[in-house]
PDB file of all heavy atoms in Angstrom:
ATOM      1  N   VAL O 997      40.268 -44.744  23.672  1.00  0.00           N
ATOM      2  CA  VAL O 997      39.020 -45.024  22.959  1.00  0.00           C
ATOM      3  C   VAL O 997      37.901 -44.241  23.641  1.00  0.00           C
ATOM      4  O   VAL O 997      37.709 -44.344  24.851  1.00  0.00           O
ATOM      5  CB  VAL O 997      38.688 -46.524  22.954  1.00  0.00           C
ATOM      6  CG1 VAL O 997      37.344 -46.769  22.272  1.00  0.00           C
ATOM      7  CG2 VAL O 997      39.786 -47.311  22.255  1.00  0.00           C
ATOM      8  N   ILE O 998      37.183 -43.442  22.866  1.00  0.00           N
ATOM      9  CA  ILE O 998      36.101 -42.621  23.411  1.00  0.00           C
ATOM     10  C   ILE O 998      34.808 -42.947  22.671  1.00  0.00           C
ATOM     11  O   ILE O 998      34.835 -43.465  21.549  1.00  0.00           O
ATOM     12  CB  ILE O 998      36.426 -41.115  23.301  1.00  0.00           C
ATOM     13  CG1 ILE O 998      36.654 -40.716  21.841  1.00  0.00           C
ATOM     14  CG2 ILE O 998      37.637 -40.762  24.163  1.00  0.00           C
ATOM     15  CD1 ILE O 998      36.898 -39.221  21.631  1.00  0.00           C
ATOM     16  N   ARG O 999      33.677 -42.642  23.308  1.00  0.00           N
ATOM     17  CA  ARG O 999      32.385 -42.933  22.687  1.00  0.00           C
ATOM     18  C   ARG O 999      31.939 -41.826  21.746  1.00  0.00           C
ATOM     19  O   ARG O 999      31.285 -42.081  20.738  1.00  0.00           O
ATOM     20  CB  ARG O 999      31.319 -43.160  23.757  1.00  0.00           C
ATOM     21  CG  ARG O 999      31.484 -44.448  24.542  1.00  0.00           C
ATOM     22  CD  ARG O 999      30.263 -44.728  25.401  1.00  0.00           C
ATOM     23  NE  ARG O 999      29.994 -43.644  26.340  1.00  0.00           N
ATOM     24  CZ  ARG O 999      30.568 -43.542  27.542  1.00  0.00           C
ATOM     25  NH1 ARG O 999      31.425 -44.467  27.938  1.00  0.00           N
ATOM     26  NH2 ARG O 999      30.264 -42.536  28.341  1.00  0.00           N
ATOM     27  N   ASP O1000      32.263 -40.582  22.088  1.00  0.00           N
ATOM     28  CA  ASP O1000      31.891 -39.464  21.234  1.00  0.00           C
ATOM     29  C   ASP O1000      32.905 -38.341  21.397  1.00  0.00           C
ATOM     30  O   ASP O1000      33.742 -38.355  22.317  1.00  0.00           O
ATOM     31  CB  ASP O1000      30.476 -38.962  21.542  1.00  0.00           C
ATOM     32  CG  ASP O1000      30.321 -38.508  22.975  1.00  0.00           C
ATOM     33  OD1 ASP O1000      30.894 -37.469  23.336  1.00  0.00           O
ATOM     34  OD2 ASP O1000      29.619 -39.199  23.746  1.00  0.00           O
ATOM     35  N   ALA O1001      32.815 -37.356  20.503  1.00  0.00           N
ATOM     36  CA  ALA O1001      33.833 -36.312  20.427  1.00  0.00           C
ATOM     37  C   ALA O1001      33.911 -35.461  21.692  1.00  0.00           C
ATOM     38  O   ALA O1001      34.962 -34.887  21.992  1.00  0.00           O
ATOM     39  CB  ALA O1001      33.568 -35.427  19.209  1.00  0.00           C
ATOM     40  N   SER O1002      32.815 -35.369  22.432  1.00  0.00           N
ATOM     41  CA  SER O1002      32.819 -34.556  23.652  1.00  0.00           C
ATOM     42  C   SER O1002      33.750 -35.125  24.718  1.00  0.00           C
ATOM     43  O   SER O1002      34.154 -34.417  25.640  1.00  0.00           O
ATOM     44  CB  SER O1002      31.407 -34.434  24.218  1.00  0.00           C
ATOM     45  OG  SER O1002      30.926 -35.694  24.663  1.00  0.00           O
ATOM     46  N   GLN O1003      34.126 -36.398  24.584  1.00  0.00           N
ATOM     47  CA  GLN O1003      35.006 -37.041  25.556  1.00  0.00           C
ATOM     48  C   GLN O1003      36.486 -36.942  25.179  1.00  0.00           C
ATOM     49  O   GLN O1003      37.338 -37.448  25.909  1.00  0.00           O
ATOM     50  CB  GLN O1003      34.642 -38.521  25.707  1.00  0.00           C
ATOM     51  CG  GLN O1003      33.236 -38.775  26.221  1.00  0.00           C
ATOM     52  CD  GLN O1003      32.933 -40.257  26.304  1.00  0.00           C
ATOM     53  OE1 GLN O1003      33.450 -41.066  25.526  1.00  0.00           O
ATOM     54  NE2 GLN O1003      32.095 -40.638  27.253  1.00  0.00           N
ATOM     55  N   ALA O1004      36.795 -36.295  24.068  1.00  0.00           N
ATOM     56  CA  ALA O1004      38.177 -36.253  23.586  1.00  0.00           C
ATOM     57  C   ALA O1004      39.108 -35.624  24.613  1.00  0.00           C
ATOM     58  O   ALA O1004      38.805 -34.584  25.204  1.00  0.00           O
ATOM     59  CB  ALA O1004      38.246 -35.489  22.275  1.00  0.00           C
ATOM     60  N   LEU O1005      40.237 -36.257  24.819  1.00  0.00           N
ATOM     61  CA  LEU O1005      41.220 -35.807  25.794  1.00  0.00           C
ATOM     62  C   LEU O1005      42.344 -35.041  25.114  1.00  0.00           C
ATOM     63  O   LEU O1005      42.818 -35.448  24.044  1.00  0.00           O
ATOM     64  CB  LEU O1005      41.810 -37.005  26.541  1.00  0.00           C
ATOM     65  CG  LEU O1005      40.827 -37.888  27.307  1.00  0.00           C
ATOM     66  CD1 LEU O1005      41.524 -39.153  27.793  1.00  0.00           C
ATOM     67  CD2 LEU O1005      40.229 -37.124  28.472  1.00  0.00           C
ATOM     68  N   PRO O1006      42.802 -33.943  25.713  1.00  0.00           N
ATOM     69  CA  PRO O1006      43.957 -33.237  25.154  1.00  0.00           C
ATOM     70  C   PRO O1006      45.227 -34.051  25.365  1.00  0.00           C
ATOM     71  O   PRO O1006      45.294 -34.914  26.241  1.00  0.00           O
ATOM     72  CB  PRO O1006      43.988 -31.930  25.952  1.00  0.00           C
ATOM     73  CG  PRO O1006      43.312 -32.253  27.244  1.00  0.00           C
ATOM     74  CD  PRO O1006      42.265 -33.266  26.908  1.00  0.00           C
ATOM     75  N   ARG O1007      46.209 -33.793  24.510  1.00  0.00           N
ATOM     76  CA  ARG O1007      47.516 -34.446  24.582  1.00  0.00           C
ATOM     77  C   ARG O1007      47.419 -35.967  24.433  1.00  0.00           C
ATOM     78  O   ARG O1007      48.238 -36.718  24.953  1.00  0.00           O
ATOM     79  CB  ARG O1007      48.256 -34.084  25.875  1.00  0.00           C
ATOM     80  CG  ARG O1007      48.362 -32.584  26.137  1.00  0.00           C
ATOM     81  CD  ARG O1007      49.376 -32.262  27.194  1.00  0.00           C
ATOM     82  NE  ARG O1007      50.724 -32.613  26.710  1.00  0.00           N
ATOM     83  CZ  ARG O1007      51.453 -31.846  25.887  1.00  0.00           C
ATOM     84  NH1 ARG O1007      50.973 -30.681  25.453  1.00  0.00           N
ATOM     85  NH2 ARG O1007      52.646 -32.237  25.502  1.00  0.00           N
ATOM     86  N   ARG O1008      46.385 -36.431  23.734  1.00  0.00           N
ATOM     87  CA  ARG O1008      46.216 -37.853  23.480  1.00  0.00           C
ATOM     88  C   ARG O1008      45.677 -38.053  22.074  1.00  0.00           C
ATOM     89  O   ARG O1008      45.020 -37.178  21.510  1.00  0.00           O
ATOM     90  CB  ARG O1008      45.209 -38.477  24.461  1.00  0.00           C
ATOM     91  CG  ARG O1008      45.621 -38.505  25.902  1.00  0.00           C
ATOM     92  CD  ARG O1008      46.789 -39.447  26.143  1.00  0.00           C
ATOM     93  NE  ARG O1008      46.471 -40.828  25.790  1.00  0.00           N
ATOM     94  CZ  ARG O1008      45.879 -41.688  26.634  1.00  0.00           C
ATOM     95  NH1 ARG O1008      45.484 -41.284  27.829  1.00  0.00           N
ATOM     96  NH2 ARG O1008      45.685 -42.936  26.265  1.00  0.00           N
ATOM     97  N   ILE O1009      45.943 -39.247  21.509  1.00  0.00           N
ATOM     98  CA  ILE O1009      45.244 -39.674  20.307  1.00  0.00           C
ATOM     99  C   ILE O1009      43.918 -40.263  20.761  1.00  0.00           C
ATOM    100  O   ILE O1009      43.891 -41.184  21.588  1.00  0.00           O
ATOM    101  CB  ILE O1009      46.054 -40.732  19.537  1.00  0.00           C
ATOM    102  CG1 ILE O1009      47.402 -40.165  19.107  1.00  0.00           C
ATOM    103  CG2 ILE O1009      45.273 -41.213  18.316  1.00  0.00           C
ATOM    104  CD1 ILE O1009      48.347 -41.217  18.532  1.00  0.00           C
ATOM    105  N   ASN O1010      42.830 -39.723  20.261  1.00  0.00           N
ATOM    106  CA  ASN O1010      41.506 -40.217  20.610  1.00  0.00           C
ATOM    107  C   ASN O1010      40.936 -40.988  19.426  1.00  0.00           C
ATOM    108  O   ASN O1010      41.050 -40.542  18.281  1.00  0.00           O
ATOM    109  CB  ASN O1010      40.574 -39.055  20.953  1.00  0.00           C
ATOM    110  CG  ASN O1010      41.079 -38.241  22.141  1.00  0.00           C
ATOM    111  OD1 ASN O1010      40.812 -38.596  23.283  1.00  0.00           O
ATOM    112  ND2 ASN O1010      41.806 -37.157  21.861  1.00  0.00           N
ATOM    113  N   ILE O1011      40.321 -42.133  19.700  1.00  0.00           N
ATOM    114  CA  ILE O1011      39.732 -42.945  18.637  1.00  0.00           C
ATOM    115  C   ILE O1011      38.257 -43.198  18.947  1.00  0.00           C
ATOM    116  O   ILE O1011      37.906 -43.610  20.057  1.00  0.00           O
ATOM    117  CB  ILE O1011      40.452 -44.292  18.466  1.00  0.00           C
ATOM    118  CG1 ILE O1011      41.912 -44.068  18.062  1.00  0.00           C
ATOM    119  CG2 ILE O1011      39.747 -45.153  17.411  1.00  0.00           C
ATOM    120  CD1 ILE O1011      42.714 -45.352  17.895  1.00  0.00           C
ATOM    121  N   ILE O1012      37.404 -42.926  17.965  1.00  0.00           N
ATOM    122  CA  ILE O1012      35.993 -43.286  18.046  1.00  0.00           C
ATOM    123  C   ILE O1012      35.762 -44.478  17.122  1.00  0.00           C
ATOM    124  O   ILE O1012      35.984 -44.375  15.912  1.00  0.00           O
ATOM    125  CB  ILE O1012      35.082 -42.117  17.639  1.00  0.00           C
ATOM    126  CG1 ILE O1012      35.270 -40.926  18.589  1.00  0.00           C
ATOM    127  CG2 ILE O1012      33.621 -42.557  17.630  1.00  0.00           C
ATOM    128  CD1 ILE O1012      34.418 -39.719  18.222  1.00  0.00           C
ATOM    129  N   ASN O1013      35.357 -45.599  17.683  1.00  0.00           N
ATOM    130  CA  ASN O1013      35.111 -46.793  16.881  1.00  0.00           C
ATOM    131  C   ASN O1013      33.761 -46.701  16.173  1.00  0.00           C
ATOM    132  O   ASN O1013      32.737 -46.479  16.829  1.00  0.00           O
ATOM    133  CB  ASN O1013      35.116 -48.042  17.766  1.00  0.00           C
ATOM    134  CG  ASN O1013      36.509 -48.408  18.248  1.00  0.00           C
ATOM    135  OD1 ASN O1013      37.489 -48.203  17.546  1.00  0.00           O
ATOM    136  ND2 ASN O1013      36.597 -48.943  19.456  1.00  0.00           N
ATOM    137  N   HIS O1014      33.783 -46.869  14.860  1.00  0.00           N
ATOM    138  CA  HIS O1014      32.509 -46.887  14.136  1.00  0.00           C
ATOM    139  C   HIS O1014      31.849 -48.254  14.239  1.00  0.00           C
ATOM    140  O   HIS O1014      30.666 -48.419  13.915  1.00  0.00           O
ATOM    141  CB  HIS O1014      32.700 -46.497  12.670  1.00  0.00           C
ATOM    142  CG  HIS O1014      33.581 -47.425  11.887  1.00  0.00           C
ATOM    143  ND1 HIS O1014      33.162 -48.652  11.448  1.00  0.00           N
ATOM    144  CD2 HIS O1014      34.863 -47.278  11.456  1.00  0.00           C
ATOM    145  CE1 HIS O1014      34.153 -49.242  10.775  1.00  0.00           C
ATOM    146  NE2 HIS O1014      35.192 -48.434  10.766  1.00  0.00           N
ATOM    147  N   THR O1015      32.602 -49.239  14.711  1.00  0.00           N
ATOM    148  CA  THR O1015      32.061 -50.566  14.973  1.00  0.00           C
ATOM    149  C   THR O1015      32.961 -51.264  15.980  1.00  0.00           C
ATOM    150  O   THR O1015      34.162 -50.975  16.063  1.00  0.00           O
ATOM    151  CB  THR O1015      31.982 -51.411  13.685  1.00  0.00           C
ATOM    152  OG1 THR O1015      31.455 -52.702  14.005  1.00  0.00           O
ATOM    153  CG2 THR O1015      33.359 -51.594  13.054  1.00  0.00           C
ATOM    154  N   ASP O1016      32.373 -52.156  16.759  1.00  0.00           N
ATOM    155  CA  ASP O1016      33.153 -52.979  17.693  1.00  0.00           C
ATOM    156  C   ASP O1016      33.455 -54.348  17.107  1.00  0.00           C
ATOM    157  O   ASP O1016      34.104 -55.178  17.744  1.00  0.00           O
ATOM    158  CB  ASP O1016      32.384 -53.138  19.015  1.00  0.00           C
ATOM    159  CG  ASP O1016      32.277 -51.821  19.774  1.00  0.00           C
ATOM    160  OD1 ASP O1016      33.233 -51.026  19.712  1.00  0.00           O
ATOM    161  OD2 ASP O1016      31.227 -51.584  20.411  1.00  0.00           O
ATOM    162  N   GLU O1017      32.979 -54.592  15.890  1.00  0.00           N
ATOM    163  CA  GLU O1017      33.206 -55.876  15.245  1.00  0.00           C
ATOM    164  C   GLU O1017      34.642 -55.981  14.724  1.00  0.00           C
ATOM    165  O   GLU O1017      35.311 -54.969  14.474  1.00  0.00           O
ATOM    166  CB  GLU O1017      32.228 -56.057  14.077  1.00  0.00           C
ATOM    167  CG  GLU O1017      30.768 -56.090  14.487  1.00  0.00           C
ATOM    168  CD  GLU O1017      29.849 -56.228  13.289  1.00  0.00           C
ATOM    169  OE1 GLU O1017      30.374 -56.348  12.149  1.00  0.00           O
ATOM    170  OE2 GLU O1017      28.625 -56.214  13.484  1.00  0.00           O
ATOM    171  N   GLU O1018      35.110 -57.205  14.581  1.00  0.00           N
ATOM    172  CA  GLU O1018      36.423 -57.445  13.988  1.00  0.00           C
ATOM    173  C   GLU O1018      36.366 -57.101  12.501  1.00  0.00           C
ATOM    174  O   GLU O1018      35.436 -57.511  11.802  1.00  0.00           O
ATOM    175  CB  GLU O1018      36.835 -58.905  14.166  1.00  0.00           C
ATOM    176  CG  GLU O1018      37.079 -59.321  15.597  1.00  0.00           C
ATOM    177  CD  GLU O1018      38.448 -58.898  16.101  1.00  0.00           C
ATOM    178  OE1 GLU O1018      39.266 -58.443  15.269  1.00  0.00           O
ATOM    179  OE2 GLU O1018      38.685 -59.020  17.310  1.00  0.00           O
ATOM    180  N   LEU O1019      37.330 -56.348  12.040  1.00  0.00           N
ATOM    181  CA  LEU O1019      37.417 -56.006  10.625  1.00  0.00           C
ATOM    182  C   LEU O1019      38.589 -56.768  10.012  1.00  0.00           C
ATOM    183  O   LEU O1019      39.718 -56.680  10.512  1.00  0.00           O
ATOM    184  CB  LEU O1019      37.615 -54.502  10.435  1.00  0.00           C
ATOM    185  CG  LEU O1019      36.479 -53.586  10.900  1.00  0.00           C
ATOM    186  CD1 LEU O1019      36.862 -52.127  10.699  1.00  0.00           C
ATOM    187  CD2 LEU O1019      35.199 -53.890  10.143  1.00  0.00           C
ATOM    188  N   LYS O1020      38.326 -57.492   8.963  1.00  0.00           N
ATOM    189  CA  LYS O1020      39.394 -58.227   8.295  1.00  0.00           C
ATOM    190  C   LYS O1020      40.245 -57.253   7.484  1.00  0.00           C
ATOM    191  O   LYS O1020      39.759 -56.609   6.559  1.00  0.00           O
ATOM    192  CB  LYS O1020      38.825 -59.307   7.379  1.00  0.00           C
ATOM    193  CG  LYS O1020      39.900 -60.195   6.758  1.00  0.00           C
ATOM    194  CD  LYS O1020      39.296 -61.300   5.911  1.00  0.00           C
ATOM    195  CE  LYS O1020      40.386 -62.207   5.340  1.00  0.00           C
ATOM    196  NZ  LYS O1020      39.806 -63.286   4.486  1.00  0.00           N
ATOM    197  N   VAL O1021      41.509 -57.141   7.863  1.00  0.00           N
ATOM    198  CA  VAL O1021      42.430 -56.239   7.185  1.00  0.00           C
ATOM    199  C   VAL O1021      43.223 -57.023   6.148  1.00  0.00           C
ATOM    200  O   VAL O1021      43.875 -58.022   6.471  1.00  0.00           O
ATOM    201  CB  VAL O1021      43.394 -55.568   8.190  1.00  0.00           C
ATOM    202  CG1 VAL O1021      44.338 -54.608   7.474  1.00  0.00           C
ATOM    203  CG2 VAL O1021      42.609 -54.844   9.274  1.00  0.00           C
ATOM    204  N   GLU O1022      43.180 -56.551   4.900  1.00  0.00           N
ATOM    205  CA  GLU O1022      43.915 -57.191   3.810  1.00  0.00           C
ATOM    206  C   GLU O1022      44.689 -56.118   3.056  1.00  0.00           C
ATOM    207  O   GLU O1022      44.237 -55.636   2.010  1.00  0.00           O
ATOM    208  CB  GLU O1022      42.955 -57.921   2.867  1.00  0.00           C
ATOM    209  CG  GLU O1022      42.144 -59.023   3.535  1.00  0.00           C
ATOM    210  CD  GLU O1022      41.224 -59.739   2.562  1.00  0.00           C
ATOM    211  OE1 GLU O1022      41.737 -60.531   1.744  1.00  0.00           O
ATOM    212  OE2 GLU O1022      40.011 -59.472   2.613  1.00  0.00           O
TER     213      GLU O1022
END
Side-chain angles (χ1 to χ4, degrees):
V997 177
I998 59 176
R999 290 190 302 274
D1000 59 70
S1002 66
Q1003 298 178 329
L1005 301 170
R1007 308 195 66 80
R1008 294 292 299 274
I1009 299 171
N1010 300 275
I1011 298 179
I1012 298 179
N1013 288 327
H1014 62 76
T1015 180
D1016 292 325
E1017 297 178 3
E1018 294 280 350
L1019 296 177
K1020 186 177 182 181
V1021 181
E1022 300 181 74

